[in-house]
Amino acid sequence: MMKTREDIFAQIKTNPKIPVLIIGAGVNGIGTFRDLSLQGVDVLLVDRGDFCSGASAASSHMIHGGIRYLENGEFRLVREAVQERNRLLVNAPHLVKPLSTIIPIFNIFSGLFNAPLKFLGLLDRPAERGAVVIKVGLTLYDFYARQQGTVPKHSIFSKQESIDQFPQINQDVKYTAKYFDGAMLSPERLCLELILDGEQANINSHALNYISAEGARNNSIELHDQLSGKILYVQPQIVINASGPWIDITNQNLGITTKFIGGTKGSHLIIDNPTLRDAIGENEFFFENKDGRIVLIFPLFDKVMIGTSDIPIDNPDQARCSQEEIQYFIDMVRVVFPGIKVDREQIIYQFTGVRPLPENNSSTAGQISRDHSIEIVEGENHNFPILNLIGGKWTSFRAFSEEVSNVTLRYLDKDRLVSTKDLPIGGGKNFPSDEKRLQTWLENQQSIHGLPIEQIKSLFERYGTRAENFIDFVSNGDDTPLEYLSTYSRKEILFIINVEKVLHLDDFLFRRTNLAKLGLLSRNLVEELSVIMSSELDWSEVRRSEEISRTLQILQEFHNVII
Ligand SMILES: Cc1cc2nc3c(=O)[nH]c(=O)nc-3n(C[C@H](O)[C@H](O)[C@H](O)COP(=O)(O)OP(=O)(O)OC[C@H]3O[C@@H](n4cnc5c(N)ncnc54)[C@H](O)[C@@H]3O)c2cc1C
């Protein structure tokens, strides 16, 4: 039986001594939570907001090696990230899919001399890459992935071949390079499934959203429940500060002064432009402007995502997408597809996040290392060590989590029991490996539960093999499609609310589903969902209307959407 939030609070009150407290449930905190739970360590993971609501929700959705980091000499990072990319394609195939990536190349030699100079630290200036540099980079990239063989090798296409494949592409193109990375369809769902896996691995490990770490006193940490205002005290043996761009602020709350983070903000637009969506097909376009800035044009379901910027910022709470960023993204689409007009009215969603990069003095943000590290602060006013998780890419969260776990296990004098390298995640378990097996899986489910095959298929597409649990629940008793979004049924929503730790309306709209991101919200739908949630979570009418206002305010303030 799943423990309720109240059960967990009661347990903490009776026994506040816990081996590990993780502050921050972005992918790094969550990955570490899962890893340690698998080793039999009891962990409490808390986040002041919802799970995966910080940097981890703001990513470019790329599970990638980061080919351009080769130029900064970050060979270790790229090798690790390529290998982790390949693992995610295998371990979470329902949420991470191979992504064909196209680099349009407008010259042959540019960057040829810059790249080695930058590698030697003699050049600080970014520059557009030419064909030769890209070819060398992609060859090395393939080399790192050679043993896992999960994606095809790169190819280079001539001008004519490029124009034949992408008729709308800028006709000045000299070549295109094509290589494969991974597309992450929903970072938020991947995080949630990792949490559920962690809790399943150890019944004494718990993850709580809307709990913030606010202070340290007499060797205990003070936790505030954002919903009830209750205060809890825990006495951890080890604290893992995984609060991403907020790491220094969290330490300050705990009475410790650090300056580990020098964050940069990055924004993205999601646009509804069928001509552009057609022009890119199922390919991401990854393009470097003359000033060295990166632009990506990414197929996100039937929409197009455009990003991203890399701008130093001091206060992560103030990160918003600026008018200049929006204009820059729109202009950049024109560089690759001059005939396609993107209007501001086509923007259906925008989002911004802050990369928790290490404090640095690089002259350009693109050159700050994307690698990860652990900074340990041993206590003066506290007797627990604090492991601060700095930097890192979404892609390599598993490797980073493993490293953090290993350090933690040494502190606890415990051995590693399980490796997470080949461990499937959530609905990636027993995933049908080909079309024939998928068909058998779907037919089996249909014969057991009798739901329409289309509904089973759509549940499988959303939840992988975890769809089995959904199907079981949905097929038991009456169910109806939503009035204002017939692709979801009432019982599917009830299952999410009850099993996936939904506490606010926006948890469901922004993170358990892609509804907000894909511009599917209407006033009627928000109203309809709030009624379902209200009866399930026992909200008063006042609470229900507060939840609607909160959703509308978040939509407007952070995503520039008014419904
Ligand atoms: C614009 C952008 C694009 C990116 N694109 C990619 C990409 O395509 N591919 C890739 O591999 N990587 C990408 N990254 C990098 C990657 O997303 C991040 O490095 C990673 O998600 C960081 O995760 P984290 O867990 O360390 O931090 P976060 O996800 O920020 O998690 C920290 C959590 O701590 C919580 N918190 C803060 N203070 C407290 C407190 N006092 N108490 C409790 N909780 C607290 C916050 O609410 C937050 O949820 C991108 C990052 C950004 C910003």
Side-chain angles (χ1 to χ4, degrees):
M1 253 270 286
M2 218 172 83
K3 282 188 192 144
T4 64
R5 197 172 166 90
E6 282 64 38
D7 294 338
I8 300 167
F9 285 0
Q11 190 178 320
I12 293 172
K13 246 187 156 167
T14 325
N15 181 14
K17 286 193 185 343
I18 52 171
V20 180
L21 170 70
I22 302 180
I23 304 172
V27 70
N28 288 326
I30 291 172
T32 306
F33 172 76
R34 177 185 74 144
D35 193 316
L36 282 170
S37 299
L38 283 159
Q39 315 314 325
V41 176
D42 301 347
V43 188
L44 178 65
L45 167 69
V46 297
D47 199 289
R48 66 171 190 169
D50 192 17
F51 308 117
C52 193
S53 57
S56 301
S59 91
S60 303
H61 292 54
M62 283 160 68
I63 293 298
H64 66 150
I67 179 167
R68 76 194 179 96
Y69 309 136
L70 287 174
E71 205 178 60
N72 294 344
E74 300 205 73
F75 299 110
R76 192 210 73 79
L77 167 70
V78 177
R79 193 181 58 235
E80 176 180 89
V82 166
Q83 288 167 354
E84 290 302 320
R85 174 199 73 188
N86 293 348
R87 290 193 173 110
L88 273 168
L89 285 165
V90 174
N91 293 335
H94 58 314
L95 288 172
V96 181
K97 310 274 182 197
L99 174 67
S100 157
T101 304
I102 306 290
I103 309 180
I105 305 170
F106 294 99
N107 54 54
I108 301 173
F109 294 113
S110 176
L112 191 58
F113 302 107
N114 297 343
L117 285 178
K118 277 175 74 177
F119 175 48
L120 294 170
L122 299 175
L123 185 74
D124 241 6
R125 165 173 61 84
E128 188 188 6
R129 309 309 172 261
V132 176
V133 168
I134 290 169
K135 176 78 192 164
V136 171
L138 287 175
T139 305
L140 195 54
Y141 209 64
D142 286 342
F143 177 74
Y144 286 149
R146 71 195 181 284
Q147 274 159 351
Q148 291 159 305
T150 40
V151 295
K153 286 188 173 156
H154 81 273
S155 354
I156 304 272
F157 297 102
S158 68
K159 180 183 181 88
Q160 196 51 52
E161 288 168 328
S162 306
I163 293 173
D164 289 347
Q165 280 187 69
F166 305 106
Q168 304 262 32
I169 203 167
N170 188 332
Q171 307 285 305
D172 290 341
V173 74
K174 294 239 170 11
Y175 302 94
T176 50
K178 173 175 173 168
Y179 67 101
F180 279 82
D181 260 325
M184 177 164 50
L185 302 182
S186 169
E188 299 84 357
R189 285 211 58 83
L190 196 47
C191 274
L192 197 270
E193 293 191 6
L194 284 163
I195 289 177
L196 297 180
D197 284 354
E199 287 192 329
Q200 203 178 20
N202 178 351
I203 54 163
N204 292 317
S205 277
H206 304 297
L208 293 170
N209 42 358
Y210 298 102
I211 299 279
S212 87
E214 290 293 334
R217 206 180 60 177
N218 301 335
N219 299 326
S220 48
I221 301 263
E222 188 177 311
L223 302 176
H224 289 204
D225 177 7
Q226 305 292 306
L227 297 185
S228 67
K230 274 187 206 147
I231 297 180
L232 297 160
Y233 294 95
V234 287
Q235 294 168 11
Q237 268 172 273
I238 296 166
V239 172
I240 296 175
N241 182 353
S243 50
W246 294 274
I247 278 179
D248 295 316
I249 300 169
T250 299
N251 281 336
Q252 202 179 341
N253 286 352
L254 305 183
I256 301 148
T257 305
T258 54
K259 185 71 184 110
F260 292 134
I261 299 291
T264 66
K265 80 159 173 165
S267 301
H268 295 85
L269 308 179
I270 297 183
I271 57 167
D272 188 5
N273 181 323
T275 314
L276 182 59
R277 184 66 188 76
D278 257 16
I280 61 173
E282 293 314 309
N283 309 282
E284 174 198 27
F285 276 72
F286 192 71
F287 167 70
E288 225 163 357
N289 193 25
K290 286 197 168 51
D291 61 6
R293 285 194 286 179
I294 299 290
V295 188
L296 54 98
I297 308 175
F298 184 106
L300 191 70
F301 298 92
D302 60 337
K303 306 293 186 301
V304 181
M305 183 174 76
I306 311 175
T308 179
S309 38
D310 206 353
I311 304 166
I313 184 167
D314 288 329
N315 183 351
D317 289 316
Q318 284 172 355
R320 305 283 187 279
C321 181
S322 68
Q323 290 305 318
E324 293 74 41
E325 286 172 281
I326 294 176
Q327 196 52 51
Y328 170 72
F329 296 140
I330 290 178
D331 292 346
M332 283 302 118
V333 173
R334 283 279 182 116
V335 175
V336 188
F337 297 106
I340 300 180
K341 190 166 179 301
V342 173
D343 289 324
R344 283 180 179 240
E345 297 77 67
Q346 293 168 336
I347 303 171
I348 54 169
Y349 195 76
Q350 60 195 45
F351 60 96
T352 302
V354 176
R355 302 172 183 86
L357 302 179
E359 167 69 359
N360 62 86
N361 46 23
S362 299
S363 59
T364 53
Q367 285 179 294
I368 306 167
S369 171
R370 265 43 177 177
D371 212 342
H372 47 77
S373 63
I374 308 169
E375 294 286 345
I376 302 180
V377 177
E378 298 282 355
E380 276 176 24
N381 61 344
H382 50 92
N383 70 354
F384 40 76
I386 303 179
L387 276 52
N388 295 277
L389 313 194
I390 317 295
K393 291 160 57 63
W394 224 112
T395 310
S396 40
F397 83 87
R398 192 212 61 83
F400 191 18
S401 302
E402 183 177 80
E403 204 178 308
V404 180
S405 276
N406 287 343
V407 173
T408 309
L409 290 171
R410 278 204 292 279
Y411 271 105
L412 297 173
D413 203 16
K414 283 190 168 231
D415 292 327
R416 171 168 288 279
L417 304 176
V418 181
S419 164
T420 51
K421 275 188 183 143
D422 302 316
L423 202 67
I425 298 171
K429 286 180 200 122
N430 304 319
F431 197 80
S433 53
D434 55 34
E435 271 306 309
K436 201 166 153 236
R437 287 189 172 86
L438 172 58
Q439 204 49 42
T440 312
W441 189 93
L442 296 170
E443 284 164 11
N444 267 347
Q445 291 299 320
Q446 192 187 27
S447 72
I448 301 169
H449 299 284
L451 287 183
I453 197 84
E454 282 314 312
Q455 189 179 5
I456 295 181
K457 246 190 206 159
S458 99
L459 291 170
F460 178 81
E461 272 160 24
R462 284 182 196 140
Y463 312 111
T465 52
R466 262 189 89 231
E468 225 171 308
N469 306 338
F470 280 82
I471 295 166
D472 196 29
F473 180 77
V474 164
S475 59
N476 214 333
D478 291 342
D479 193 17
T480 44
L482 292 189
E483 189 179 348
Y484 294 101
L485 188 70
S486 59
T487 47
Y488 276 82
S489 83
R490 198 170 183 283
K491 290 197 81 178
E492 179 178 348
I493 285 152
L494 292 183
F495 186 85
I496 292 180
I497 297 170
N498 286 311
V499 177
E500 299 192 344
K501 299 175 184 274
V502 173
L503 294 179
H504 282 295
L505 179 57
D506 50 282
D507 299 343
F508 180 84
L509 302 175
F510 292 81
R511 289 169 293 277
R512 303 305 178 272
T513 64
N514 281 326
L515 295 181
K517 214 182 280 177
L518 297 178
L520 293 170
L521 297 186
S522 62
R523 261 316 244 278
N524 284 336
L525 178 62
V526 170
E527 181 72 28
E528 184 180 11
L529 288 166
S530 77
V531 171
I532 298 176
M533 226 166 266
S534 178
S535 74
E536 202 58 21
L537 297 176
D538 227 0
W539 289 344
S540 66
E541 202 41 35
V542 173
R543 170 79 190 270
R544 189 176 76 83
S545 83
E546 281 170 2
E547 288 290 331
I548 295 178
S549 308
R550 179 183 146 101
T551 294
L552 298 180
Q553 189 258 326
I554 295 172
L555 265 176
Q556 185 168 1
E557 184 181 345
F558 294 92
H559 309 290
N560 200 22
V561 174
I562 298 178
I563 54 168

